[in-house]
Amino acid sequence: VMNDRAPSPDLLISKRERNKASNRESILRAARVVFAEMGYGAASVRDIIRRTDLASGTFYNYFPDKHSIFRAIVEDIANGIRLQQGLGRRNAVSIEGFIEGSFRGYFNYIAQDPELVALTRRSAGAIRTLFDEPEIMPLFHDLLTDISDAMARGLLPKLDVDLVASAIVGMAFEMAIVMVARNPIDPEATTKFATVLLIGGLQGLIAKSANKPNPAGS
């Protein structure tokens, strides 16, 4: 016996939502490829939608412009990096482990994905402009929290938390740009270099503070 009953409204809504999620994901995947191949500046919405099976106007049902989809991609990348870096830092039992864990999580996350390597290489300037935006800020806030916790546990010296975090973020991003431009890409060597450089700077600050004259005791 054939069932002539129409699908329930709930099933129709569910299917519609699945289609919407699938379309959005398809557009995001296409955008990642286009930004990796062309860079943010040269890419257009038309280039992105051509990489999908969707109608040209479908893009604007999900994203208002090229900048908004780029921000969504960078947010997804930032969330992946947060996971990698957080594990490295929170398992650390020394200053070397904390700093090295931060850098290794970042450099390895980028280096293991050729598409992300290309995207970073060709869109570094566009990514840099998002450093103060909501998509990136959780990454920075996690780092601030972990640094404060590490200082409280005695892993890190008690220095300016904001400046230490800024140093880690700035070094990681700029060194990653150099790393992805090289062949072969070597995240481990980049991690070691960044770790030694930053720890040396922190130790220099500690020594300078220890040698500072104490007016109260003079």
Side-chain angles (χ1 to χ4, degrees):
V1 179
M2 294 183 63
N3 187 348
D4 294 329
R5 288 189 303 170
S8 72
D10 287 345
L11 285 176
L12 289 174
I13 292 171
S14 177
K15 184 178 180 181
R16 189 158 56 241
E17 291 304 317
R18 285 199 303 272
N19 286 341
K20 285 174 66 176
S22 175
N23 289 347
R24 187 178 189 276
E25 184 58 31
S26 177
I27 294 169
L28 281 167
R29 282 199 307 268
R32 272 185 63 118
V33 172
V34 170
F35 290 137
E37 290 180 358
M38 304 176 66
Y40 175 79
S44 68
V45 169
R46 182 176 295 179
D47 294 317
I48 294 169
I49 208 68
R50 279 176 178 166
R51 298 298 183 99
T52 73
D53 296 325
L54 304 172
S56 59
T58 307
F59 178 93
Y60 298 101
N61 293 332
Y62 302 91
F63 302 97
D65 50 33
K66 180 180 76 169
H67 185 62
S68 64
I69 195 170
F70 187 73
R71 289 173 65 149
I73 289 169
V74 171
E75 181 177 25
D76 184 57
I77 294 167
N79 286 335
I81 292 171
R82 285 174 71 191
L83 219 61
Q84 292 287 325
Q85 286 186 319
L87 289 172
R89 287 195 298 259
R90 288 159 204 158
N91 292 332
V93 295
S94 66
I95 181 173
E96 290 83 2
F98 184 92
I99 300 300
E100 194 170 278
S102 293
F103 286 128
R104 181 174 286 112
Y106 185 82
F107 295 137
N108 280 347
Y109 186 84
I110 293 172
Q112 69 189 2
D113 184 345
E115 193 174 85
L116 183 50
V117 167
L119 192 152
T120 304
R121 185 182 295 158
R122 294 189 172 94
S123 301
I127 296 171
R128 197 180 281 114
T129 65
L130 297 178
F131 270 27
D132 292 327
E133 296 297 322
E135 290 77 13
I136 297 289
M137 286 310 294
L139 191 65
F140 192 71
H141 289 152
D142 282 359
L143 180 57
L144 288 172
T145 300
D146 289 345
I147 289 173
S148 297
D149 179 64
M151 288 181 180
R153 290 191 289 134
L155 289 186
L156 295 180
K158 292 189 182 297
L159 298 169
D160 188 309
V161 176
D162 290 328
L163 291 179
V164 173
S166 296
I168 292 174
V169 170
M171 288 174 64
F173 182 76
E174 296 302 333
M175 287 186 182
I177 300 305
V178 175
M179 179 186 76
V180 299
R182 293 179 169 178
N183 188 20
I185 293 170
D186 193 342
E188 190 59 27
T190 311
T191 296
K192 295 293 186 184
F193 183 89
T195 300
V196 171
L197 187 63
L198 185 60
I199 290 177
L202 293 175
Q203 290 172 339
L205 286 170
I206 297 167
K208 186 174 180 181
S209 177
N211 293 330
K212 189 180 295 183
N214 184 0
S218 57

